Amino acid sequence: MLSRDPSFHPAGAHVARTPQEALRHAESLALAMGAQEAAVAGGAEIFAAFLPLADVIHLTEVALTVEGDAIFPALDPREWRETERLTPPRAAEDEADCAFVRLERTSGREAQTAVAGEEA
């Protein structure tokens, strides 16, 4: 959990003060749990803070315009390539079509993974 508040210490949570510290905690926990990736969930500021650290993005695109203030940062198409796209059939109760997209950074840095879900 990432927080700027130095007095924030919820029971049972690992609290980090920087994205780099949070990533170190997450990687350590993922390794201990046998997980292959660590997830980043947040609002616009959290996504923007972790984007430079990510080499993989799992993005959920939703074909719907909604009001809100959390917007995923724009991605430079020269830095990211789509490697997978799943488009499940739209169910009768769904408001919009969606796609689950895997993007990989093209720069060849060592893998550090972030997961992001946000309306497109």
Side-chain angles (χ1 to χ4, degrees), residues 16-29:
R17 304 298 173 210
T18 68
Q20 293 80 4
E21 182 185 359
L23 186 58
R24 282 193 303 275
H25 279 303
E27 287 174 336
S28 175
L29 289 170

Side-chain angles (χ1 to χ4, degrees), residues 22-23 25-27 30 35-40 56 58 112-115:
L23 186 58
H25 279 303
E27 287 174 336
Q36 295 182 2
E37 296 180 325
V40 173
V56 174
H58 297 278
Q112 297 175 336
T113 303
V115 178

Side-chain angles (χ1 to χ4, degrees), residues 28-80:
S28 175
L29 289 170
L31 182 63
M33 296 168 50
Q36 295 182 2
E37 296 180 325
V40 173
E45 285 186 54
I46 296 294
F47 292 141
F50 280 90
L51 187 57
L53 305 175
D55 282 328
V56 174
I57 297 173
H58 297 278
L59 183 70
T60 302
E61 295 178 344
V62 180
L64 187 66
T65 301
V66 296
E67 290 187 34
D69 61 357
I71 298 173
F72 193 78
L75 298 175
D76 184 339
R78 296 169 299 178
E79 292 183 25
W80 297 94

